[in-house]
């Protein structure tokens, strides 16, 4: 696979359209990718992976934020990659899913992801010539051509030497995590977790079954009272308990049957005594009732006499009530006559014939007045109409005066309206000029207000830059001091590695008569490495601070250039004046339509007012003529109506008065007639009352009224007498019955002795029944518990055997138990993969170390029984000894990690059977190498680019910029990152 070009737009930190020409970069086979931290170097590699697979490696893909935050809304995010795979050139274009503002309305909408593949220079077999546009089809086609996943691709293209550098210095646990991330062996860890979880589940199941057995044993022991046995099945113990429960059930059943018969006999005797006692009680009660009735015979006779008199007085009471009603009617009739006589203002005793004659005369006069009512109504209607005509004439005359005034003032109003229209048109022209100037002044004012903050930022950046320069100088001085002191004590350092019988690495002698003694404050290689790391970090901080100071100074200069000679106060005053003028002009310009309409209306109003005045004068003349005619008719009719009204306000009022007088006289006549009838009915009622008292055998009316009793008292007498009769009849019937015949009321029954005997027998039978019931329950419960216990015993044995087998297998998979190497399945797979990488990496390491170092993989267990299999040591050809990789110096560690990264790329490419990768990237680490070692590394890189392969180095080291002629620099700024290509000192954006 060879990359030709990459185009990114609004992707990551790249706001604008950026192009990477890999053909130009790879013309020499080697190029350098450098730039500030966070500028977007890794984003270029992410863009390559996104174009191929639609995803970026690691956590950056989970964030789902591939679009540039500062990109314009109308600019689409896209990545275009042109490359050749297996001899087939193609062009890939992808856009991620992101949120963009809606084109209509407020809020955001989702821009869907897109992908396309176009074949260049010929279409492969079984592929559409127009290319592919579906995301899934593009992804499957690319993965089929490359033969590897996105994670594997990133391992091969962006060599992870940094991860292997951590691996060389890590302990076993950290190594396992790093290798798992490199090799993607999470599925084997999932297998380990599956076994562990399965063993845990089976342990819980076995424990639950064991607990069930223990609970059943305890329950059986509790129910039977027998000692509890172990969890292991003891069939004899269970059978003995069940047999004893059966014997107890049979014994308690027999005893319960015997005592139940004795209880029944005692209860039968008690029933006989109770029946005899009840008969004696009933005889005694009947005799007592008859004696009580005989003693109260006189009282009962008085009740009967009172009841008979009250019944005879009922007709007399009815006649008295009728006489009272007749008297009340007579009184009401007298009052009615008095009332109507007062209303008619006549004597109540005046003859009825005179009253009837006067009422008829009044009605005749009212009938004569009815003929004048229609004329009176017409008179009122004409008077209202006359008043309306007068009001209308007054209003029309007032309106005429107003219209004449309006017509006379029209010329001045038209002149003023034209001035107002001209003013609005001028404001509309002036408004655009004021708006433009306001925008310019607002921008200058913003710039003026940014200058103080930019000045403070410049001072702060200069201070930080000076501090970074001082810190870098101090770190460099310390590094030089440590190197000088280490060289002075190098002989003593080599002497510490001498061993008796082992050859000296300097002279080769096996004898060491006078080794150099360590000096005071001996400098170790670790001290020098730490100082060098600190010096490099300080240099990076210095470059970053210096760049920040330069950017701050340039920012301040740009602000001053834009501001010119203006001041903030002048600009603020001018902006305020412009805004006030703009508001005034906007209001005036917005009123132009209304002012033009008003002018048009005034110009057309002259003729309209003339027509209105003429029509109004005609209307006034007609109204005055009608008013004169109507006034004459009203005066003539008024003379006729005046005689008919008399002293009343209207004809209708006088007629209503006459009808009311006639009506009152007629009501008085009716009241006199009703009074005479009421007096006649009262006399008849009083005669009937005296006759009723005599017929009821009373001496007079008062005696009959005294015998009256209300319904409640009569009901009490009836109920009392009936109760006496019922009690006497009941007592006589009981004494005469066959059941009580011959029973002596003085008989001794003996009920208490029979009751005590029955109670004793009943309690004994109940105790026996309870014992029998408990024995039955115990027998049934033990039968149920025994069945459940036997079932639990049958399940527990196989479950314990299965758990033991699963536990042993889980221990082996997780590196415990019978696993002699103490290696888990995941560690075993990682060890095998690491061994393959070590073999491939050894060839690289021997070349770069001039044959001195080789990798040696170890699968031995770690110290104190820790897991093994991930050991990776180095064989030092100078000494012939194997030593840990963490003892390598900083430069040697970089060589080792780079060799491992190259070896990993070879292994992954070989495993996937993918296309040969002609473009590789190598990350940081070159700053730890001396000049000679760096030459060896560059030779190795020359081998990598042999045959047309392109190698890109990602580094901040200054010497790499001097050694590599073709460089791609990534610059960052507030407006997005940009790319700059330089070759042989010539740069191009």
């Amino acid at each position: 696979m060879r990359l030709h070009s990459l185009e990114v737009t609004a992707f990551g930190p790249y706001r604008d359209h950026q192009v990477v020409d890999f053909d130009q970069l790879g013309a020499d086979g080697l190029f350098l990718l450098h730039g500030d931290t966070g500028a977007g170097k890794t984003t270029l590699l992410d863009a390559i992976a996104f174009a191929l697979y639609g995803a970026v490696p690691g956590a950056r893909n989970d964030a789902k934020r591939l679009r540039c935050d500062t990109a314009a809304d109308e600019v689409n995010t896209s990545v275009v990659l042109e490359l050749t795979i297996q001899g087939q050139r193609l062009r890939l274009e992808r856009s991620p899913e992101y949120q963009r503002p809606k084109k209509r309305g407020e809020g955001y909408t989702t821009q869907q992801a897109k992908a396309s593949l176009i074949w260049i220079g010929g279409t492969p077999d079984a592929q559409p010539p127009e290319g592919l546009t579906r995301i899934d089809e593009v992804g499957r086609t690319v993965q089929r051509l490359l033969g590897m996943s996105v994670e594997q691709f990133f391992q091969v293209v962006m060599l992870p030497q940094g991860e292997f550098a951590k691996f060389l210095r890590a302990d076993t646990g950290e190594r396992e995590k790093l290798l798992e991330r490199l090799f993607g062996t999470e599925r084997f860890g999932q297998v380990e977790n599956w076994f562990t979880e399965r063993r845990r589940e089976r342990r819980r199941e076995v424990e639950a079954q064991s607990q069930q057995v223990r609970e059943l044993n305890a329950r059986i022991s509790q129910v039977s009272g027998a000692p509890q046995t172990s969890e292991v099945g003891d069939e004899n113990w269970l059978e003995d308990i069940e047999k004893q429960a059966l014997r107890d059930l049979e014994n308690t059943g027999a005893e319960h049957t015997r005592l139940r018969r004795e209880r029944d006999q005692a209860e039968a005797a008690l029933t006989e005594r109770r029946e005899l006692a009840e008969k004696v009680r009933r005889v005694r009660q009947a005799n007592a009732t008859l004696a009580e009735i005989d003693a109260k015979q006189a009282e009962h006779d008085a009740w009967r006499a009172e009841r008979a008199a009250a019944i005879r007085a009922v007709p007399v009471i009815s006649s008295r009530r009728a006489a009272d009603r007749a008297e009340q009617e007579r009184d009401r009739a007298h009052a009615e006559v008095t009332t109507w006589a007062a209303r008619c203002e006549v004597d109540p005793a005046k003859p009825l014939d005179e009253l009837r004659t006067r009422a008829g005369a009044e009605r005749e006069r009212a009938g004569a007045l009815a003929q004048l009512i229609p004329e009176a109504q017409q008179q009122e209607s004409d008077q209202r109409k006359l008043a309306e005509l007068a009001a209308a004439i007054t209003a029309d005359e007032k309106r005429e005066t107003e219209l004449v005034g309006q017509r006379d003032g029209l010329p001045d109003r038209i002149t003023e309206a034209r001035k107002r229209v001209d003013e609005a048109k001028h404001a509309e022209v002036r408004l655009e000029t004021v708006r433009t100037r306001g925008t310019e002044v607002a921008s200058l004012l913003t710039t003026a207000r940014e200058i103080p903050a930019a000045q403070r930022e410049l001072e702060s950046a200069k201070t930080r830059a000076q501090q970074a320069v001082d810190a870098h100088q101090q770190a460099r001085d310390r590094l030089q001091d440590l190197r000088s002191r280490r060289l002075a004590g190098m002989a003593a350092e080599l002497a510490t590695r001498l061993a008796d019988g082992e050859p000296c690495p300097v002279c080769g002698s096996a004898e060491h008569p006078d080794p150099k003694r360590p000096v005071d404050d001996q400098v170790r290689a670790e001290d020098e490495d730490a100082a060098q790391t600190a010096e490099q970090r300080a240099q990076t901080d210095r470059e970053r601070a210096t760049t920040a100071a330069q950017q701050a100074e340039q920012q301040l200069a740009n602000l001053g250039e834009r501001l010119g000679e203006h001041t903030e106060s002048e600009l603020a005053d001018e902006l305020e004046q412009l805004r006030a003028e703009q508001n005034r002009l906007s209001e005036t310009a917005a009123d132009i339509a209304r002012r033009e309409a008003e002018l048009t209306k005034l110009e057309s109003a002259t003729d309209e007012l003339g027509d209105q005045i003429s029509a109004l004068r005609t209307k006034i003349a007609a109204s005055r003529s009608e008013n004169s005619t109507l006034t004459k008719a009203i005066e003539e009719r008024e003379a006729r109506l005046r005689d008919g009204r008399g002293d009343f306000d209207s004809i209708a009022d006088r007629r209503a008065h006459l009808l009311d007088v006639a009506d009152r006289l007629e009501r008085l006549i009716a009241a006199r007639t009703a009074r005479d009838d009421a007096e006649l009915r009262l006399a008849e009622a009083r005669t009937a009352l005296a006759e009723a008292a005599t017929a009821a055998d009373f001496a007079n009316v008062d005696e009959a009224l005294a015998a009256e009793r209300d319904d409640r008292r009569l009901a009490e007498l009836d109920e009392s007498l009936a109760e006496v009769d019922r009690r006497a009849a009941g007592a006589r019937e009981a004494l005469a019955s066959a059941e009580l015949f011959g029973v002596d009321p003085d008989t001794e029954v003996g009920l208490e002795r029979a009751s005590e005997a029955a109670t004793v027998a009943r309690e004994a039978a109940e105790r026996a029944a309870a014992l029998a019931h408990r024995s039955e329950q115990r027998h049934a419960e033990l039968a149920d518990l025994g069945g459940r216990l036997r079932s639990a015993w049958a399940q527990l044995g196989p479950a314990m055997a299965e758990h033991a087998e699963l536990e042993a297998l889980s221990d082996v998979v997780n590196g415990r138990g019978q696993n002699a190497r103490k290696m888990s399945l995941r560690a075993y797979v990682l060890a095998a993969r690491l061994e393959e990488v070590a073999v491939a990496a050894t060839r690289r390491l021997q070349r770069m170390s001039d044959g001195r170092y080789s990798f040696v993989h170890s699968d031995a267990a770690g110290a104190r029984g820790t897991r093994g299999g991930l050991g990776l040591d180095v064989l030092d050809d100078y000494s012939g000894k194997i030593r840990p990789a963490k003892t390598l110096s900083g430069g040697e560690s970089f060589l080792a990690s780079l060799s491992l990264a190259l070896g990993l790329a070879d292994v992954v490419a070989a495993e996937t059977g993918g296309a040969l990768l002609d473009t590789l990237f190598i990350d940081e680490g070159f700053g730890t190498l001396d000049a000679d070692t760096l030459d060896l590394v560059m030779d190795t890189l020359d081998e990598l680019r042999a045959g047309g392969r392109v190698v890109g180095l990602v580094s901040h080291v200054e010497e790499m910029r001097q050694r590599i002629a073709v460089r791609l620099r990534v610059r960052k700024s507030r407006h997005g990152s940009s790319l700059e290509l330089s070759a042989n000192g010539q740069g191009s954006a």
Side-chain angles (χ1 to χ4, degrees), residues 914-932:
L916 177 63
L917 299 177
D918 295 325
T919 306
L920 301 176
F921 292 90
I922 302 176
D923 203 352
E924 290 282 5
F926 298 95
T928 60
L929 306 178
D930 56 31
D932 294 336

Side-chain angles (χ1 to χ4, degrees), residues 238-258:
L238 183 58
E239 290 180 356
D240 291 342
I241 291 176
E242 292 174 341
K243 291 177 180 178
Q244 181 62 41
L246 181 59
R247 288 193 295 269
D248 293 343
L249 176 63
E250 295 173 349
N251 293 335
T252 55
E255 181 66 12
H256 177 235
T257 302
R258 182 182 68 79

Side-chain angles (χ1 to χ4, degrees), residues 64-125:
K64 301 295 183 184
R65 287 183 58 86
L66 301 180
R67 177 172 172 79
C68 179
D69 292 334
T70 61
D73 295 340
E74 66 274 7
V75 177
N76 294 326
T77 299
S78 66
V79 176
V80 180
L81 178 66
E82 190 169 327
L83 72 161
T84 298
I85 307 176
Q86 297 182 3
Q88 179 64 55
R89 187 158 180 163
L90 60 147
R91 177 185 176 88
L92 294 169
E93 182 173 358
R94 285 186 186 266
S95 295
E97 179 184 295
Y98 61 91
Q99 297 291 316
R100 63 168 178 81
K102 294 181 178 179
K103 295 181 179 179
R104 297 184 181 87
E106 299 180 354
Y108 289 83
T109 185
T110 301
Q111 181 71 33
Q112 299 297 329
K114 298 179 181 178
S116 65
L117 184 152
I118 299 175
W119 305 103
I120 301 176
T123 303
D125 296 338

Side-chain angles (χ1 to χ4, degrees), residues 188-204 803 806-807 809-816 824-826 867:
F188 298 102
Q190 294 171 359
V191 172
E192 296 176 12
N193 294 334
W194 183 89
F195 273 102
T196 301
E197 184 63 28
R198 187 62 178 166
R199 177 181 62 182
R200 187 179 297 112
E201 292 176 0
R202 294 303 300 160
R203 182 186 295 117
R204 286 196 294 266
H803 173 259
L806 181 61
E807 186 171 22
L809 182 58
S810 178
D811 287 341
V812 172
V813 170
N814 286 275
R816 295 187 295 270
S824 65
L825 176 63
R826 178 172 46 182
R867 299 182 181 182

Side-chain angles (χ1 to χ4, degrees), residues 550-561:
Q550 293 174 353
Q551 292 176 348
E553 184 174 4
Q554 182 62 39
Q555 176 68 10
L556 181 59
N558 293 338
L559 291 175
E561 182 179 353

Side-chain angles (χ1 to χ4, degrees), residues 579-595:
R579 287 176 176 171
E581 184 179 2
Q582 180 180 343
N583 292 336
R584 180 179 58 79
L585 292 174
S586 297
E587 294 176 358
T588 304
D591 199 34
I592 188 172
R594 188 188 64 80
R595 295 184 180 188

